[in-house]
């Protein structure tokens, strides 16, 4: 495949089998998007694919919290992470909820008129403040936040910025029409937990997330994404974790920040960029690390390791804002 995939060659969804085909079918039914590039990009690793989909589905699509509210949080995260693909995608999904003015305002960088909407978008951009949602909806909103931070990094590292062929998403009419095509799916109730039988990784849910579907999915993603650490030396993995540990969860990596050498430590460089500045990953960065033995499976796992380091740092900051346990 070509299209939006910059450094990988995923198998055509039409030829997918097994759990990969099952995920594609569930994405189409519950998300309303056939062959969504975000998930096709992860298809080389069933454990990453299933856990990423499960976390997004169980937090953003299922549950009782407002879908509009969760889309605003996801859009705020995507704005903070400089992921135009994801910002546009969430604007289209806001169109699908019927909030057309809100959707376009988010894309233009405007503050929503309603105080509640404004607070949710702002919290998504900087989650270090008080939660603008009820405590009993925390698993859905926090799960949406963590899923968005992970997905933003996968998308920015591995996909082009264009959401639709030819960049058609830049036209308001196209965005609104795309939203209308998804309206029926977005407004339909999604049964919690249906993605969990697809998981191909096990992991312990954080105590604050209890043992619900969101926590189960997040635990699986932690296990699947941490596996990419094995692609680095102990020293390089530790350096990535140390850099992320000192990050405030919001501020972009300074342009003048010292990065691991592309020539001598390309894996550490690629993982660190995926964690803290995925929009700065280049073809040269990927080529410097990749060898003939490095498959698409290896590349998505290395990027996922950097991404999950950032997600775990965000989770730690969220815990600190209210005190443990959440």
């Amino acid at each position: 495949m070509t299209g939006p995939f910059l450094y990988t060659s995923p198998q055509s969804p039409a030829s997918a089998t097994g759990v990969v085909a099952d995920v594609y079918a569930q994405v189409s039914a519950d998300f309303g998007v056939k062959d969504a590039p975000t998930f096709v990009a992860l298809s080389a690793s069933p454990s990453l694919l299933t856990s990423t989909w499960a976390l997004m589905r169980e937090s953003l699509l299922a549950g009782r919290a407002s879908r509009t509210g969760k889309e605003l949080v996801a859009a705020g995260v995507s704005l903070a992470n400089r992921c135009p693909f994801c910002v546009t995608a969430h604007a289209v999904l806001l169109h699908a909820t019927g909030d057309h003015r809100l959707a376009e305002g988010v894309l233009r960088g405007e503050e929503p008129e309603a105080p509640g909407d404004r607070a949710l978008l702002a919290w998504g951009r900087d989650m270090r403040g008080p939660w603008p949602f009820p405590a009993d909806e925390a698993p859905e909103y926090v799960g949406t936040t963590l899923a968005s931070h992970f997905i933003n990094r996968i998308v920015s590292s591995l996909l082009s910025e264009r959401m639709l062929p030819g960049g058609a998403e830049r036209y308001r009419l196209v965005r609104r029409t795309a939203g209308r095509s998804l309206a029926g799916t977005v407004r339909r109730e999604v049964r919690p937990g249906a993605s969990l039988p697809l998981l191909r990784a096990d992991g312990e849910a954080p105590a604050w997330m209890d043992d619900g579907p969101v926590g189960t999915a997040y635990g699986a993603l932690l296990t699947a994404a941490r596996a990419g650490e094995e692609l680095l030396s102990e020293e390089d993995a530790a350096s990535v974790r140390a850099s992320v540990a000192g990050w405030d969860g919001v501020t972009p990596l300074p342009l003048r920040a010292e990065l691991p050498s592309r020539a001598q430590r390309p894996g550490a460089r690629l993982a660190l960029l995926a964690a803290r500045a995925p929009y700065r990953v280049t073809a040269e960065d990927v080529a410097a690390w990749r060898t003939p033995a490095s498959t698409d499976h290896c590349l998505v796992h290395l990027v996922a390791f950097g991404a999950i380091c950032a997600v775990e740092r965000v989770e730690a900051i969220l815990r600190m804002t209210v005190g443990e346990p959440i």
Side-chain angles (χ1 to χ4, degrees), residues 43-254:
S43 59
S45 171
S47 63
L48 283 174
L49 171 64
T50 55
S51 54
T52 302
W53 162 242
L55 181 57
M56 193 191 82
R57 182 193 186 277
E58 302 305 331
S59 59
L60 179 64
L61 309 188
R64 298 174 299 168
S66 161
R67 177 66 183 270
T68 295
K70 291 186 286 188
E71 290 291 348
L72 281 169
V73 165
V77 172
S78 301
L79 286 164
N81 288 330
R82 304 183 184 186
C83 183
F85 183 108
C86 293
V87 173
T88 304
H90 291 297
V92 167
L93 291 164
L94 283 169
H95 274 298
T97 69
D99 291 293
H100 305 299
R101 185 173 181 179
L102 182 61
E104 291 302 307
V106 167
L107 273 180
R108 290 193 296 267
E110 299 172 357
E111 296 290 330
E113 293 182 0
D117 291 343
R118 189 160 58 247
L120 288 166
L121 181 66
W123 187 83
R125 299 186 75 157
D126 186 345
M127 68 290 150
R128 293 174 293 185
W131 292 0
F133 44 80
D136 62 350
E137 294 179 352
E140 293 176 48
Y141 277 106
V142 174
T144 294
T145 300
L146 299 177
S148 298
H149 273 287
F150 186 79
I151 290 171
N152 286 171
R153 286 166 169 80
I154 297 299
V155 168
S156 291
S157 297
L158 300 177
L159 301 181
S160 74
E161 294 185 354
R162 293 181 176 180
M163 195 186 80
L164 297 173
E169 70 278 0
R170 66 182 181 274
Y171 298 110
R172 179 177 179 175
L173 178 60
V174 171
R175 294 192 296 269
R176 187 160 181 161
T177 301
R180 284 176 175 167
S181 72
L182 297 172
T185 305
V186 166
R187 298 173 188 178
R188 188 173 66 232
E189 183 176 351
V190 175
R191 179 172 62 87
S195 66
L196 302 187
L198 301 174
L199 291 173
R200 291 299 180 268
D202 295 319
E204 185 176 353
W208 61 267
M209 245 186 208
D210 64 43
D211 58 353
V214 176
T216 300
Y218 183 56
L221 180 59
L222 288 175
T223 298
R226 285 170 177 167
E229 183 174 357
E230 298 177 3
L231 295 164
L232 299 175
S233 68
E234 290 185 9
E235 179 184 0
D236 280 351
S239 71
V240 173
R241 289 194 178 279
S243 175
V244 176
W247 175 51
D248 64 7
V250 177
T251 306
L253 183 70

Side-chain angles (χ1 to χ4, degrees), residues 2-10 37-45 48 83 85 150-162 270 273-274 277-283 286 289-290 295-305 307:
T2 53
F5 307 103
L6 297 177
Y7 313 119
T8 61
S9 300
T38 301
F39 299 105
V40 175
L42 293 170
S43 59
S45 171
L48 283 174
C83 183
F85 183 108
F150 186 79
I151 290 171
N152 286 171
R153 286 166 169 80
I154 297 299
V155 168
S156 291
S157 297
L158 300 177
L159 301 181
S160 74
E161 294 185 354
R162 293 181 176 180
L270 188 53
L273 285 173
Y279 46 85
R280 288 171 55 186
V281 171
T282 66
V286 175
W289 170 78
R290 200 159 191 179
T295 63
D296 285 356
H297 180 275
C298 297
L299 178 58
V300 297
H301 267 284
L302 182 60
V303 169
F305 169 65

